[in-house]
Structures are given as C-alpha cells and as structure tokens.
Amino acid sequence: MTKSIITIGRQYGSGGREIGEKLAKELGIPFYDKELLTIAAKKSGIAEEFFESNDEKPTSSLLYSIVTGNYGGDSLPFNHKLFLAQFDAIRSIAKKGPCVIIGRCADYALEDYDNVVNVFIHADLDVRVKRAIKEYNIENVKVAEQVSKIDKKRAHYYNFYSGRKWGSLENYDLTVDSGILGIDNTVELIKKFVELKDSLRK
Amino acid sequence: MTKSIITIGRQYGSGGREIGEKLAKELGIPFYDKELLTIAAKKSGIAEEFFESNDEKPTSSLLYSIVTGNYGGDSLPFNHKLFLAQFDAIRSIAKKGPCVIIGRCADYALEDYDNVVNVFIHADLDVRVKRAIKEYNIENVKVAEQVSKIDKKRAHYYNFYSGRKWGSLENYDLTVDSGILGIDNTVELIKKFVELKDSLRK
C-alpha cells in the first residue's frame, strides 16, 4: 500500500474530483472532498451548512460576522474560523494515514509532512466547459463564464489563506492536463508518480 | 517506438537537459539541445557563434543589428532572424519524426502538431543551486543569484517570442518537480505519460 497523502488542486471542470476518487479507490485509501466539511463541522461544532455555503469561496466575513455575533472584540472573523476548522480537520485526517484530499488548501495545511504528493489538474477551457455541461448539468448559456468564475473563487480562497498562488507550478510536485490523457490515464499517471516516490523511501 | 515529439522547458539547474537526454536514449529517438543551433546555423547560413552567444537570451537587437549592418530599412532585427532560423530548424526536425527538444520555444514552434507532448521541469531553488554547483561548476558565491538570472533570461526569451508565459502550467501537458523524484524517476514518469498518450492514438 502507498505511504503517501495525495492532495489534488483542480480547475473547475478538469475532472479533478473524479480523478481523485478513482485514484483513492485504486490505491485502497480514503477519499475526502465534501466529506471534509462534515468532519470539520463535527470537530468544531459549527453547523455543516455554513461550511457548505462558504466552501472554497473568498472571505466575505463582515456580514457573517455580524449575523453570528462575532463582529468586534478579539474574536476571529467567521470565515477564518471555518478555514481553521477545515485546516484542523485536514491535519487530523492526515495523522490517520494515506488518503486523497481534494482542494481546500490541503497542500498548504500539510506543508510540513514529507509523505505528501501535491498534484494540480487543469485542462483547456473548451474541455472543461464540455465536462461542466455533461457532468454538472450547468446550462449551456454562459457556461464558460461560470467555469471561470468558480476558478476565480477557488484561486481567491487559496491565495488568501495560503499566501501562495493557486495554479502556480512551484506549489505542485506534478501538474497534468487531463484533457490530453483523459480521466483514467491521468489516474494511471498520478499512480505512477506515487509509486516512484514511495520507492525512494524504501 | 513512440510516435511523440517531446519538448522540455526547464528551470536552470532542474536537470531538464539530462532528463531529456536519458528520455531520448530510452525511447530510442534523437535528442536536440545545442545540436539545434548547429542545424539552424547550417540551414540559415548564419555563423553558429551568433546562435551560441544569443542562445535563449532576450532580444538586444540594436547593437547586433548595427554591427551586422541590418539596422534600418525593411530588414528584420538580427535576433529575430536567429529566432526564425531556430523556429525553422525545429519544424524541419519535427517533420523527420519523434524526438526530444530542449527549450527554445519548441512547444510554440510545434503548436499545430498533435503528436507533441509539452513538459516543464522545475525544482526548488536550493535543489537547483546544489545541482548548478555540482554539474556546471558555477562558483558557490552568488550562485542562487546566477540561477535566477538565467531563468529570467529564459523567461524573457520565451515570453517575447511566443507571447505566452514561461512556466505557466496551461502551456504544458505535464510539469514535474525533479527535486522530488530525482532525474531517473522523472524520466520514468515522462515515459509513462508518453506511453499513455501514444496508447490513445492506437
């Protein structure tokens, strides 16, 4: 079995989630995407719907802070609390052993772990638009705009909390254009990377 | 045998040249790094030393143009001529069949070829500094500065002629941190990518 924790950042519509899910299945290790929000909610006591409605979205903490009574004083803005709860959830998951984690600054949260493989999946916009229409039933009208908008939010979230640049290759051990190989072959390639890295630790 | 042409962009000290050379050997296909300059010189009739002294350096065409008498009139700046001669050399090489080409905007020159795999090799600065000291006998003093300076030139050259951004992941099918896997395992990984891509064409 692998010894690695694989984090997967991904452009919207690139198939990153499906690739991660298949990879986890093939490696026989747990997979965390939205599951992470449930764990963060349980651990923090904050209602899960707050994690869902703020998932990988840039901070817009003022309104939430007022609503939740956390405005002023020395308390943290509410979105920061959500981020920290997810950060803790990622680290507690990582302590349990190898797994695949999608998005949510997991590469940043685990930067002091040496058994982490950081991957980023991208694809040309036309490939992602087609996939978004097919997989997520997004309406054909303005779908390219929608895809770019979601990526902008992911980038903003990542950059704000990690202080790094989303989709900048120096943050990743491996980046792959899933539009070239397709989903299953991209899974194969990442598996190969993980095998090669694992072999260095023997 | 593979059907692919593999272009390799690389940060200085990341081992991109060595990786490309080993990859070409394993795949049994020709390898072009400085060899490209000799071909461009032969085809264009411009002396090889001009290609060498301007290799992947940003345009500073005014002085050369004056020296070589190409300043003014409707003639192209001299550096543009060197670029175009290399561009032609890359395309004539590609027509002959599968090969590995290092740097020199080869991904851009071959953008209309569908059997091209575009790879970028990077590594952390400390890894590259160590490699530069060991492989290229660059003096220990200010070596980090020197490594960054060469990368800046490569970026400037690539960006100027291709209108793209050097080291920006959307230009590449695959990017790998060679500091994680080491040279030989990075070769293995690229070989796997090429195999997977070739299998889609069968």
Side-chain angles (χ1 to χ4, degrees):
Chain A
M1 199 173 109
T2 181
K3 299 161 198 127
S4 296
I5 295 165
I6 300 116
T7 75
I8 300 185
R10 72 292 182 222
Q11 286 183 331
Y12 186 73
S14 68
R17 187 198 48 72
E18 192 181 341
I19 288 165
E21 209 166 0
K22 288 189 167 176
L23 181 69
K25 212 173 171 182
E26 290 211 20
L27 295 172
I29 58 178
F31 168 77
Y32 300 97
D33 181 23
K34 297 270 178 201
E35 296 81 354
L36 197 74
L37 309 183
T38 314
I39 295 169
K42 268 189 196 152
K43 276 180 70 81
S44 66
I46 301 170
E48 197 171 332
E49 59 250 42
F50 281 118
F51 287 96
E52 275 163 15
S53 56
N54 285 278
D55 191 22
E56 289 188 290
K57 284 180 189 158
T59 179
S60 58
S61 55
L62 185 62
L63 186 64
Y64 272 103
S65 299
I66 292 169
V67 167
T68 55
N70 279 317
Y71 181 62
D74 58 0
S75 68
L76 273 174
F78 189 61
N79 281 39
H80 288 239
K81 285 187 182 166
L82 294 176
F83 173 76
L84 287 175
Q86 287 181 67
F87 191 94
D88 283 345
I90 290 165
R91 291 183 69 89
S92 72
I93 283 166
K95 268 184 205 149
K96 288 186 194 159
C99 61
V100 174
I101 307 175
I102 303 293
R104 297 169 190 90
C105 302
D107 56 325
Y108 172 66
L110 305 177
E111 68 175 346
D112 53 343
Y113 282 62
D114 72 349
N115 63 330
V116 174
V117 172
N118 297 314
V119 179
F120 191 86
I121 306 292
H122 62 105
D124 284 350
L125 186 61
D126 59 333
V127 171
R128 296 189 287 125
V129 162
K130 266 185 213 154
R131 193 181 158 84
I133 293 170
K134 197 180 147 217
E135 295 286 322
Y136 305 116
N137 299 315
I138 288 185
E139 265 187 78
N140 214 327
V141 189
K142 291 192 179 175
V143 64
E145 205 178 287
Q146 176 73 354
V147 162
S148 300
K149 208 172 146 189
I150 294 172
D151 275 351
K152 219 172 255 179
K153 282 184 183 172
R154 284 182 181 173
H156 191 134
Y157 178 84
Y158 182 89
N159 300 350
F160 182 83
Y161 285 111
S162 73
R164 300 173 179 179
K165 205 171 167 288
W166 188 76
S168 189
L169 57 80
E170 58 266 24
N171 299 327
Y172 309 102
D173 304 331
L174 176 70
T175 83
V176 192
D177 183 338
S178 61
I180 304 293
L181 293 186
I183 301 297
D184 291 343
N185 284 329
T186 302
V187 172
E188 278 308 297
L189 186 82
I190 302 172
K191 230 173 71 182
K192 183 76 180 177
F193 187 100
V194 171
E195 279 167 23
L196 289 167
K197 190 174 173 188
D198 283 348
S199 74
L200 295 174
R201 269 196 228 102
K202 270 171 195 160
Chain B
M1 199 172 108
T2 181
K3 298 160 198 125
S4 296
I5 295 166
I6 300 117
T7 76
I8 300 185
R10 73 294 181 221
Q11 286 183 329
Y12 187 72
S14 68
R17 187 199 48 72
E18 192 181 342
I19 288 164
E21 210 166 0
K22 288 189 166 175
L23 181 69
K25 210 172 172 184
E26 290 211 19
L27 294 173
I29 58 179
F31 168 78
Y32 300 97
D33 182 23
K34 298 271 179 200
E35 295 81 353
L36 198 73
L37 309 184
T38 314
I39 296 169
K42 267 189 197 153
K43 277 178 70 80
S44 66
I46 301 171
E48 197 171 332
E49 59 251 43
F50 280 118
F51 287 96
E52 274 164 15
S53 56
N54 285 279
D55 193 20
E56 289 188 291
K57 284 181 189 158
T59 179
S60 57
S61 56
L62 186 61
L63 187 63
Y64 273 103
S65 300
I66 292 170
V67 167
T68 56
N70 280 317
Y71 182 61
D74 58 0
S75 68
L76 272 174
F78 188 61
N79 281 40
H80 287 240
K81 283 188 183 167
L82 294 176
F83 172 77
L84 287 175
Q86 287 181 66
F87 191 93
D88 283 345
I90 290 166
R91 291 183 70 89
S92 72
I93 284 166
K95 268 184 203 149
K96 289 186 195 159
C99 61
V100 174
I101 307 174
I102 303 294
R104 299 170 189 88
C105 302
D107 57 324
Y108 171 67
L110 304 176
E111 68 175 347
D112 53 342
Y113 282 62
D114 71 350
N115 64 330
V116 173
V117 172
N118 297 314
V119 178
F120 191 85
I121 306 292
H122 61 105
D124 284 350
L125 186 61
D126 58 335
V127 172
R128 296 190 287 126
V129 162
K130 266 184 214 155
R131 192 180 159 84
I133 293 170
K134 197 179 146 216
E135 296 286 323
Y136 304 117
N137 300 316
I138 288 185
E139 264 187 80
N140 214 327
V141 189
K142 290 192 180 176
V143 65
E145 204 179 286
Q146 176 74 354
V147 163
S148 300
K149 208 172 145 189
I150 295 173
D151 275 351
K152 218 173 256 178
K153 282 184 183 173
R154 285 182 181 173
H156 192 134
Y157 179 85
Y158 182 89
N159 301 349
F160 182 82
Y161 285 111
S162 73
R164 300 174 177 177
K165 206 171 166 288
W166 188 75
S168 188
L169 57 81
E170 58 267 23
N171 299 328
Y172 309 102
D173 304 330
L174 175 70
T175 83
V176 192
D177 183 338
S178 61
I180 304 293
L181 293 186
I183 301 297
D184 291 344
N185 284 328
T186 302
V187 172
E188 278 307 296
L189 187 82
I190 302 171
K191 230 172 72 181
K192 182 75 180 178
F193 187 100
V194 171
E195 279 167 23
L196 289 167
K197 190 173 174 190
D198 282 348
S199 74
L200 295 174
R201 271 197 226 101
K202 271 171 194 160

